[in-house]
Amino acid sequence: FFTALTFVKTLKQNTRTANKRSTTVPEAKNKRNMRISTLAVTFTLCNSLFSVGAFTYSIPSTAKNFPQKNEQRRILAKRAFSSSSSFALDSSLRKRQEFSLDELSMVMSSEINTLEELIKRTPDEESETLIQENVIDDIESLSAVECKSRLVDLIPRMTGKAEENAQVENLVNRIEELYTPMLTLDFFNMAMAGEWQLLLSTNQSRSSPRGLRLRELVQKVNPNNLKGNISNFVKWDLVEDDESFDFTGTFSVECSYEMNSAARLHMQLDEHILRPTGDMPSDAQKLVGKLMKAMPFELFDPNDVGVDTTYLDADLRIVRLSGQRYEGVRNIFIRKGAIEIATTIEST
């Protein structure tokens, strides 16, 4: 019984080690095919041994004619427990060095269930897991400059896949981990001032409404000591006749902020301003509603939001929001003109 349990534990550890050493999808699939055969045989063997062990232990539990053999089995079990370090047993069991068949059954069942999960994995699932593990290991060895380069290159090409979002999150986490905050208020304000083009919002989950096109979204920061103004500015085009873009213009969200001792910006919404270039659309209120749906909502209504700058250099700025509505939301900005990126968001 104990030999089977130890073997299962060792096999699981070897399986995980082999997973981490696999660097390509073909290698992962070949090793997986070999492991499935071994795991299947082992699983059958463990089930058989577990059944035999349970049957053997069930006899002396009700019989009164074999006290000596029962005591011998308990001694052997205690010795096996003392010599094994691979069992995931409760610490209280380790202290008293005694356990029942029910407790052993729970341990064995847990190990077999984990083994079943490994066997049931499809090649695609296992390959995806291996790729993600290798990507994380790779990112952890990168410098802040290398992570920043990868991030700026990846975001404009994203197609909404889960692995892309995970890679962005890992890169941002690594950049924030290596970041050393600026020590003086003047230097922080100087670095933050200017126009920043939105590269990514983790709160952007909706597409632009029908008939509306956003050509860019820029945040202009104008600091003044511990206070300042922020303007979220978009250029828009609107279709009303279902044939061409009849109207164009700008829309801005004007805000003010105060900075506390921890460099957190406390935002206050001042006003929304709609400026058409030429004629005003027939339903301006409907247009504002479409703009609200197209923009990340924390930029349309940033009232009572806390903004923490988690990374800032000459051309990249990452902020994390706090508050009941946007807790944990991240915005990634690139300084306007620093790189060429596609900015049009359109729905027809």
Side-chain angles (χ1 to χ4, degrees):
F1 179 88
F2 282 97
T3 303
L5 184 58
T6 305
F7 185 67
V8 172
K9 263 293 202 186
T10 304
L11 186 61
K12 283 168 53 187
Q13 293 173 354
N14 292 340
T15 300
R16 288 168 180 153
T17 301
N19 283 349
K20 292 182 179 179
R21 291 176 180 173
S22 300
T23 57
T24 64
V25 173
E27 290 178 6
K29 291 184 177 179
N30 291 336
K31 292 187 178 183
R32 179 187 180 278
N33 293 334
M34 296 176 62
R35 290 199 305 274
I36 284 183
S37 300
T38 306
L39 291 172
V41 174
T42 305
F43 179 66
T44 304
L45 175 62
C46 290
N47 267 331
S48 301
L49 290 173
F50 181 67
S51 300
V52 172
F55 177 73
T56 303
Y57 269 86
S58 66
I59 295 176
S61 64
T62 55
K64 299 180 180 180
N65 300 326
F66 306 101
Q68 185 175 0
K69 291 184 178 180
N70 189 27
E71 182 62 24
Q72 290 176 351
R73 289 191 180 95
R74 180 170 292 278
I75 293 173
L76 290 174
K78 290 171 63 177
R79 289 177 180 174
F81 178 82
S82 301
S83 62
S84 174
S85 61
S86 63
F87 301 147
L89 295 177
D90 186 82
S91 59
S92 61
L93 298 180
R94 292 182 182 275
K95 290 180 180 179
R96 71 173 189 260
Q97 297 286 294
E98 294 179 2
F99 41 87
S100 64
L101 177 62
D102 290 339
E103 292 166 337
L104 288 173
S105 300
M106 289 175 62
V107 176
M108 190 64 176
S109 298
S110 175
E111 299 299 327
I112 292 177
N113 289 337
T114 306
L115 191 60
E116 283 181 316
E117 292 177 2
L118 290 173
I119 294 174
K120 290 178 181 177
R121 273 188 182 179
T122 65
D124 291 339
E125 289 174 343
E126 186 163 350
S127 299
E128 182 178 345
T129 301
L130 294 175
I131 292 172
Q132 291 177 356
E133 290 177 352
N134 291 329
V135 167
I136 293 174
D137 291 340
D138 181 41
I139 289 175
E140 290 178 350
S141 65
L142 297 178
S143 66
V145 175
E146 292 169 327
C147 288
K148 172 184 166 182
S149 177
R150 287 197 184 187
L151 183 67
V152 173
D153 179 66
L154 171 63
I155 291 179
R157 298 184 291 104
M158 289 179 65
T159 58
K161 295 181 180 179
E163 54 267 29
E164 292 174 337
N165 295 330
Q167 188 172 357
V168 167
E169 182 178 0
N170 292 327
L171 285 168
V172 170
N173 288 340
R174 178 62 176 169
I175 290 173
E176 292 176 340
E177 178 185 348
L178 298 174
Y179 176 59
T180 301
M182 298 175 185
L183 299 179
T184 66
L185 176 61
D186 290 340
F187 192 70
F188 177 78
N189 284 338
M190 181 181 66
M192 184 173 59
E195 294 186 343
W196 298 89
Q197 190 166 349
L198 180 67
L199 201 58
L200 177 71
S201 168
T202 58
N203 196 34
Q204 181 73 38
S205 59
R206 300 168 296 178
S207 60
S208 185
R210 182 178 178 83
L212 179 69
R213 177 174 66 189
L214 299 186
R215 282 185 277 133
E216 68 175 359
L217 199 163
V218 174
Q219 183 174 88
K220 184 176 181 179
V221 183
N222 183 24
N224 181 18
N225 201 11
L226 292 174
K227 297 182 179 181
N229 300 303
I230 290 180
S231 176
N232 299 322
F233 178 89
V234 297
K235 293 181 179 180
W236 54 267
D237 299 312
L238 180 68
V239 174
E240 278 197 340
D241 61 6
D242 294 329
E243 292 182 2
S244 61
F245 289 100
D246 308 296
F247 302 94
T248 185
T250 63
F251 178 75
S252 62
V253 182
E254 303 296 330
C255 315
S256 56
Y257 71 83
E258 293 185 4
M259 187 188 308
N260 66 10
S261 58
R264 171 173 291 183
L265 310 184
H266 291 275
M267 305 292 295
Q268 186 68 39
L269 174 64
D270 295 331
E271 59 180 338
H272 294 102
I273 302 176
L274 181 66
R275 295 188 180 94
T277 304
D279 296 334
M280 177 70 74
S282 58
D283 193 341
Q285 187 173 355
K286 184 177 180 180
L287 171 59
V288 173
K290 288 186 175 184
L291 289 166
M292 179 184 68
K293 293 179 180 179
M295 295 174 62
F297 200 66
E298 72 275 11
L299 299 181
F300 182 88
D301 182 15
N303 202 41
D304 294 329
V305 174
V307 179
D308 294 315
T309 302
T310 56
Y311 184 83
L312 177 62
D313 65 13
D315 50 23
L316 182 67
R317 175 168 157 253
I318 302 175
V319 299
R320 186 191 297 265
L321 308 186
S322 60
Q324 294 182 350
R325 295 184 297 167
Y326 311 121
E327 184 67 38
V329 171
R330 281 166 165 167
N331 290 334
I332 302 175
F333 296 93
I334 195 79
R335 190 173 290 279
K336 187 176 180 180
I339 61 171
E340 293 291 334
I341 59 174
T343 59
T344 300
I345 304 174
E346 179 178 353
S347 180
T348 59

